[in-house]
Every structure is written in C-alpha cells, then in structure tokens.
Amino acid sequence: MNFPVYIFGIHPHLIFESLAYFIGFRVYLFTRNKERIPMDQALWVIVGAILGAALGSKFLYWFENPKATMENWNNLIFLIEGKTIVGGLLGGLIGVETAKKCISLTRSTGDDFVLPLAVGMMIGRIGCFLTGLDDHTYGTATTWMTGVDFGDGIKRHPTQVYEIAFLALLAFTLLQIKRKNAGWEGLLFQLFMLSYLLFRFLIDFIKPTPHPYWIFNNIQLASLLGILYYIWLINKKQIEKRRELHA
C-alpha cells in the first residue's frame, strides 16, 4: 500500500473528513431525543458545538510546539493549519454550554452527541490512517505485529486504528448502558468524554509528537484537565442521586 491512498484521485483526508461531518450530522438528526429538546433549540446547540469545536481544535494545536507558535505568531498560514480532536471536543463542550445559557436551556444535551461523535471520529480516523506520514497521527516505531510501514521503511504503531477499535468498543458499551436506562440524563456523554480523554492521555505516550511539558504533550495536559473535571462531575451527580434516594 502506498500512502497517501488516493481514492478516485481525491486525497483520503478530504474524503473521510467530509464524510465524518456529513454522516455524523445525519446520525445526530436520526438518533437525537426529539421529545426532550425541540429542533429550534437543538440547532442553536449544534451551532455552539461547531463554533466551539473549531476554535478549541485550533487553540490547543498552538500549544503542541509553543516555541514554534511564538516564532510564527504573525504567520496566518501556520496559525490556521492543524487541529486536534481533543481540543475540538473540549471547545465544543464550552460552545454547547454557552449556547444553552443564551437560550436558557437547562436540560442535558450531551447524550444525543455520543453516537454521532463516535461514528464521525471513527470515519475521520480512517482518513488519517490512509493519509500516512503526512497526517502526523501515527505512533512511534514498534516491533509489534500491528506495526504498519507508512512508506519510509519503519513499522509504527497505527494509533489511528487503535482509536477506531477503541471508539467502536466504547460506543457499543454505552449503547448497552442506554438500553438499560441506567444512570442519569447526561451520563452517557460524561462517560464517553471521560473514557476518550483517558484513552488519549495514554495513547499519546506512543506518539512521536513534542512533549514540552515535562513528560506530557499538549493533548495529554488538556486530557488530564478534562479527566479531572468529569471525575468530579460524575462523583457530584452520584452524591446528588444518593441524596434523592434517601430524601
């Protein structure tokens, strides 16, 4: 296999990123709880998610190599290139919460995003894998049987494939929880975020990206903050549920 793997002459990243957005949005429209949140409010939530994700993905990327960012602070091309999924997720979360405050929506909207996010991210990672070395999402060199040569003669961890497998397993598990109606409103999204951020925190140890923050990179620091937040949030909800049961 030669990387990038062009499909009908089109770059794989463009194809699969476009499919990720299109299919993910269609999954959201098909699976969202239409009784809980009216469509007009749901559209504002989507707008908040898109804007927040776009800003967050860029902002976190600038911290991947802070020295290079400082040296290119006035280079528009450098500033707009590159993005991160973790930054997009955390930025999207902030965008959604901001939009909900603007329209006075107090109900949780996160559960409706779990399956669309998982599907979209899996599709997008296919494009990352087929892009090869140019995408910079591969892992470090390895002797594991899973190692893939992306074209330079070195077998590396296909971390994109690891992520696809993880997201498929996570989505399946969360759907089982949903069918049992276990937990509270918003729990599925909280578990999704906590699980994915923990995965990214660990998997980035085998990615050859700069680790300028002691032994961590920008993704790991952001993931760690998100992990601590969701542990606190889930624990808080559990305490509230116990109080309601004993009230």
Side-chain angles (χ1 to χ4, degrees):
M1 182 181 294
N2 295 318
F3 295 91
V5 181
Y6 285 86
I7 301 173
F8 301 114
I10 304 175
H11 196 284
H13 208 294
L14 176 61
I15 290 179
F16 285 95
E17 186 171 354
S18 300
L19 284 174
Y21 289 125
F22 176 77
I23 296 176
F25 182 62
R26 300 305 301 176
V27 171
Y28 172 78
L29 293 178
F30 182 74
T31 62
R32 76 179 186 89
N33 190 322
K34 301 173 181 62
E35 297 178 357
R36 188 171 66 223
I37 305 171
M39 190 59 192
D40 59 335
Q41 291 183 321
L43 288 175
W44 280 109
V45 171
I46 293 171
V47 170
I50 293 173
L51 292 178
L55 293 173
S57 64
K58 295 294 182 183
F59 181 76
L60 186 57
Y61 172 75
W62 296 338
F63 287 90
E64 179 177 288
N65 189 334
K67 182 180 178 181
T69 300
M70 290 296 293
E71 292 174 349
N72 292 274
W73 67 270
N74 58 348
N75 185 338
L76 184 61
I77 295 177
F78 176 87
L79 294 177
I80 63 176
E81 69 178 1
K83 52 186 176 294
T84 67
I85 287 181
V86 169
L89 287 174
L90 295 177
L93 172 65
I94 295 172
V96 166
E97 293 304 320
T98 302
K100 286 169 61 177
K101 287 185 180 298
C102 291
I103 61 175
S104 301
L105 178 62
T106 57
R107 300 199 68 173
S108 175
T109 58
D111 288 352
D112 288 341
F113 285 100
V114 169
L115 188 58
L117 278 173
V119 170
M121 289 162 67
M122 283 189 285
I123 294 172
R125 283 308 190 198
I126 296 173
C128 294
F129 175 77
L130 294 178
T131 298
L133 295 174
D134 293 341
D135 194 67
H136 302 289
T137 55
Y138 50 82
T140 53
T142 182
T143 57
W144 287 16
M145 62 180 295
T146 56
V148 174
D149 179 359
F150 288 102
D152 62 351
I154 301 173
K155 287 191 174 183
R156 293 181 168 88
H157 285 291
T159 48
Q160 313 95 325
V161 177
Y162 298 165
E163 186 166 327
I164 292 170
F166 172 79
L167 286 168
L169 179 61
L170 178 59
F172 175 79
T173 302
L174 293 178
L175 285 175
Q176 301 311 305
I177 295 175
K178 181 179 180 179
R179 287 195 181 97
K180 294 178 181 178
N181 296 316
W184 54 80
E185 192 175 80
L187 175 63
L188 295 181
F189 183 74
Q190 292 161 17
L191 291 176
F192 173 83
M193 289 291 288
L194 178 59
S195 301
Y196 181 74
L197 292 174
L198 181 58
F199 169 81
R200 284 305 305 268
F201 178 78
L202 296 174
I203 202 71
D204 269 55
F205 280 115
I206 59 169
K207 284 191 176 183
T209 54
H211 285 63
Y213 309 102
W214 190 35
I215 60 173
F216 306 123
N217 62 17
N218 57 326
I219 301 296
Q220 290 174 306
L221 284 185
S223 295
L224 185 58
L225 291 174
I227 289 167
L228 293 175
Y229 169 73
Y230 279 106
I231 289 176
W232 169 81
L233 183 60
I234 292 173
N235 185 61
K236 177 185 175 184
K237 290 287 186 180
Q238 287 178 326
I239 293 173
E240 291 175 354
K241 293 287 284 186
R242 292 195 196 101
R243 286 176 180 171
E244 290 176 4
L245 291 173
H246 294 292

